[in-house]
């Protein structure tokens, strides 16, 4: 982690190590616990004026294996301090082993999409909220016929009366399957599963009964552990949406995007992680995007690599540039720049052609 | 909400209204949707140089009634921008009605604790992680005999091997009931229910089978909607812990503490909301603490008022000062300052006496 500000960095690191475990000052508990459960400051390095990098290690005895307690140990109480940022986690193998991680990963989703290794995947969002299920299903058909690999619900499509979950999912899947029969392709439809906990089981049941292979989830809206649970109890491909995640990324305090998206979202089983791409609607720099994609794909214990899914305003006209930047193991998520065009089919066909041309 | 920075505030407010609903610019979707689902900027007021207050209203058609989508509409995508802070929410009655809110509230917990209206309640945490279930149960007995109203697990006590959930809960509840039989009092034990989703049902079952009346939950560790679900499917008193909440409170961007703790935590059914008190281990100002307690107790549709539970380093020796500040409808949470004393019984008895003296 890094610490920032005028406090004594060694003292702050030690306070963090105590706050995140015993929540008591030294002396207020049996001395033998200090060795057994208290965090240990391994290193404090000055990186810049008022900026320090500290390494704190925690005994597994304090962590245990459930995700909520891992999150708590990582940033629970210290989230309420300031100037502390998690910039790296060295996961012990035994802790990683308690998570399944991505159920399909890069290889698995490629097989489902029947896309060869030389090209990235294209995902397009159906939107906006307010359209009827019929209108949204029509968009699905258009995008599938154009050759898009994955058509996904906009993450704001929940269970609104304009297109209730059941009706929308039935119609959209039907539309995509019909388009596939016409095109001979294999477009996948991923509905948005972000919903109340009481509805979750019945929605998963519906999704499975329609032979839908994946879903969009928003880990910070439904709970990170709820997504882990969906991943570990179903065979669905999980695309995680970053809604609400921005609160972690304020300057100097929080969890670095490459750690939250690249490690934690992957740990909970995301096969693809949607993140705001640089140059789009959200203020993200290129270096951060590179770090996110690196983290998602790098070896991490037994966890399968996951797809970076840059989105949030990718300009379809510049898809070649983004392919050069991110490479073939990427899902490009297109939304607003397709829908802003008069002819959705034409717009989608253009970008599909551009992607396949690059792959030759 | 407030916006900060050099951007045109009216334009930013309009972008927020679109981003949080259609996620498309005007013109990229049927015009009739603009009236039906897009947010509307009601007002933009300058409050200080580069600080504006904007009111955006959203059609219920875009919200629907599930908590994850409400959170999404409130701060989902705009969390990834910067300089935006939610400082107030005007909840429509029809939306509030879809939530049960606190199941016991101030009146209900007072009855369970058999404490008259003239005095606040005292809650003490058993800690730290690493102690055995037997040691923790001994602390329970001591605190219950001293006259503390509620003994709670430290929120970092999960299912660690040193004191596994089942063994800890059985022993601690036993210890508190035995102490009650000796003292004739009615101390309540609240275990920490923060756990993986797959464990939740069996832990609730255990808690109920032991006739335990309430639990500690950490909404941001297990998911806000998971806590709502626990509240609406059980009869347990819920004390919400603020772990991980600090990421929302960075200067100029996020959700104001009085909104997150005072409205959202109450909406999901917290009967008591633990928050870091001013002057303790966490940097919180007095004004914010006042706003949190006001929000928790003020009329809000049909929702019962909830207990403010200031903690995070309340000095037992100054309890009188805090009673004057917060009044009798407060649960004071004492942890480290009790445990730092040599004699836990004596320390707890002193603060119990101080509270009862004040109430006369």
């Amino acid at each position: 982690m890094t610490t920032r500000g005028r406090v004594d960095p060694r003292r702050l690191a030690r306070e963090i190590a105590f706050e995140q475990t015993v929540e008591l000052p030294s002396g207020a508990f049996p001395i033998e616990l200090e060795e057994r459960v208290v965090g240990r400051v391994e290193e404090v390095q000055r990186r810049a004026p008022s900026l320090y990098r500290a390494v704190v290690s925690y005994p597994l005895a304090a962590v245990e294996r459930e995700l909520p307690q891992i999150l708590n140990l990582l940033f629970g109480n210290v989230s309420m301090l300031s100037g502390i940022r998690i910039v790296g986690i060295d996961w012990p193998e035994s802790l990683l082993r308690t998570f399944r991680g991505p159920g399909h990963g890069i290889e698995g989703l490629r097989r489902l999409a029947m896309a060869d290794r030389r090209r990235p995947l294209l995902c397009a969002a159906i939107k906006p909220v307010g359209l009827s299920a019929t209108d949204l299903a029509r968009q699905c058909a258009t995008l599938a016929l154009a050759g898009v690999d994955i058509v996904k619900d906009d993450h704001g499509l929940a269970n609104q009366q304009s297109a209730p979950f059941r009706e929308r999912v039935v119609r959209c899947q039907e539309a995509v399957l019909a388009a596939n029969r016409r095109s001979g392709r294999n477009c996948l439809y991923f509905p948005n599963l972000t919903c109340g906990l009481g509805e979750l089981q019945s929605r998963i049941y519906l999704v499975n009964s329609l032979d839908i292979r994946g879903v969009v989830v928003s880990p910070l809206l439904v709970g990170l552990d709820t997504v882990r649970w969906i991943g570990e109890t179903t065979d669905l491909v999980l695309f995680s949406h970053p809604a609400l995640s921005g609160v972690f990324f304020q300057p100097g305090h929080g969890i670095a995007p490459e750690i939250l998206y690249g490690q934690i979202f992957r740990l909970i089983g995301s096969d693809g992680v949607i993140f705001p791409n640089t140059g789009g609607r959200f203020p993200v720099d290129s270096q951060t995007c590179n770090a996110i994609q690196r983290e998602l794909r790098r070896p991490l214990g037994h966890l399968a690599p996951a797809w970076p899914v840059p989105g949030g305003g990718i300009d379809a006209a510049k898809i070649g540039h983004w392919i050069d930047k991110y490479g073939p193991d990427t899902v490009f998520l297109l939304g607003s720049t397709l829908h802003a065009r008069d002819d959705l089919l034409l717009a989608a066909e253009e970008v599909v052609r551009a992607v396949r041309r690059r792959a030759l």
Side-chain angles (χ1 to χ4, degrees), chain A:
Chain A
M1 66 186 73
T2 57
T3 69
R4 206 179 268 275
R6 264 167 296 177
V7 289
D8 173 352
R10 265 161 231 286
R11 201 177 137 187
L12 178 57
R14 195 173 142 85
E15 275 175 25
I16 293 168
F18 277 74
E19 184 65 49
Q20 294 303 86
T21 50
V22 287
E23 298 186 49
L24 284 173
S26 186
F29 56 90
I31 187 76
E32 56 96 17
L33 290 186
E34 196 150 337
E35 183 65 24
R36 193 145 57 79
V37 296
V38 178
R40 190 168 60 206
V41 180
E42 305 286 355
E43 195 183 306
V44 178
Q45 276 184 338
R46 187 161 179 276
R47 305 304 282 260
S50 300
L51 178 66
Y52 293 81
R53 184 171 174 282
V55 177
V56 177
S57 64
Y58 294 105
L60 276 175
V63 188
E64 62 111 329
R65 288 156 201 291
E66 290 175 25
L67 183 70
Q69 170 59 6
I70 293 173
L71 296 171
N72 182 45
L73 191 109
L74 200 60
F75 212 59
N77 272 10
V78 299
S79 77
M80 295 180 279
L81 298 174
S82 69
I84 301 164
R85 194 155 180 263
I86 306 288
V87 296
I89 305 172
D90 194 1
W91 297 93
E93 189 61 39
S94 69
L95 203 56
L96 287 179
R97 269 202 302 272
T98 62
F99 291 87
R100 191 198 60 170
H104 299 265
I106 292 184
E107 287 303 311
L109 179 56
R110 217 180 249 298
R111 270 197 305 277
L112 283 177
M114 297 185 191
D116 75 51
R117 283 161 178 268
R118 288 168 307 169
R119 71 169 181 89
L121 301 186
L122 264 183
C123 175
I126 55 170
K127 61 202 307 185
V129 61
L131 289 184
S132 68
T134 310
D135 288 338
L136 293 166
R138 199 171 297 130
Q139 290 187 6
C140 282
T142 303
L143 293 163
L145 285 174
V148 162
D149 298 291
I150 299 159
V151 174
K152 73 170 255 302
D153 281 353
D154 201 19
H155 84 286
L157 293 170
N159 194 29
Q160 291 94 347
Q161 276 186 24
S162 44
F165 184 79
R166 170 175 286 274
E167 189 194 345
R168 180 175 85 244
V169 169
V170 168
R171 284 185 194 272
C172 288
Q173 172 71 348
E174 219 169 64
V176 168
L177 293 181
N180 286 347
R181 283 191 296 271
R182 269 181 64 189
S183 68
R185 287 205 185 93
N186 191 43
C187 180
L188 302 166
Y189 166 60
F190 289 3
N192 177 33
L193 196 63
T194 304
C195 64
L197 193 52
E199 309 301 319
L200 198 52
Q201 296 264 25
S202 67
R203 293 205 188 165
I204 289 172
Y205 184 83
L206 175 65
V207 160
N208 282 330
S209 73
L210 295 170
D211 207 22
I212 286 170
R213 307 306 304 262
V215 292
V216 177
V217 287
S218 296
L220 295 167
L221 299 180
V222 300
L224 287 152
D225 194 66
T226 301
V227 173
R228 180 202 56 76
W229 180 86
I230 297 170
E232 293 183 1
T233 59
T234 74
D235 192 37
L236 294 166
V237 175
L238 300 186
F239 265 29
S240 284
H241 188 280
L244 207 58
S245 63
V247 294
F248 286 91
F249 310 145
Q250 293 306 293
H253 188 73
I255 299 179
E258 62 270 26
I259 303 301
L260 186 66
Y261 296 151
Q263 294 189 6
I264 298 175
F265 276 26
R266 180 175 167 194
L267 191 73
I268 63 173
S270 311
D271 297 290
V273 174
I274 302 169
F275 63 91
N277 192 32
T278 186
R281 301 200 303 281
F282 302 94
V284 189
D285 60 36
S286 180
Q287 212 179 351
T288 300
C289 293
N290 288 338
I292 295 166
Q293 53 140 333
R294 242 188 346 258
E295 285 294 339
L296 285 167
R297 297 190 196 123
R298 78 164 169 98
L300 184 61
H302 72 290
L303 302 186
W307 294 85
V309 189
I314 284 203
D315 185 350
K318 294 187 184 143
I319 192 76
H321 164 75
W322 297 117
I323 296 176
D324 291 342
K325 180 180 166 73
Y326 290 119
D329 285 342
T330 308
V331 178
F332 291 99
L333 171 57
L334 298 169
S336 49
T337 65
L338 291 184
H339 289 279
R341 295 273 300 274
D342 283 338
D343 189 327
L344 184 63
L345 180 66
L346 211 67
E349 280 176 342
E350 272 176 32
V351 65
V352 167
R353 265 198 307 274
V355 167
R356 311 238 168 173
R357 209 181 304 130
R358 281 278 157 163
L360 294 179

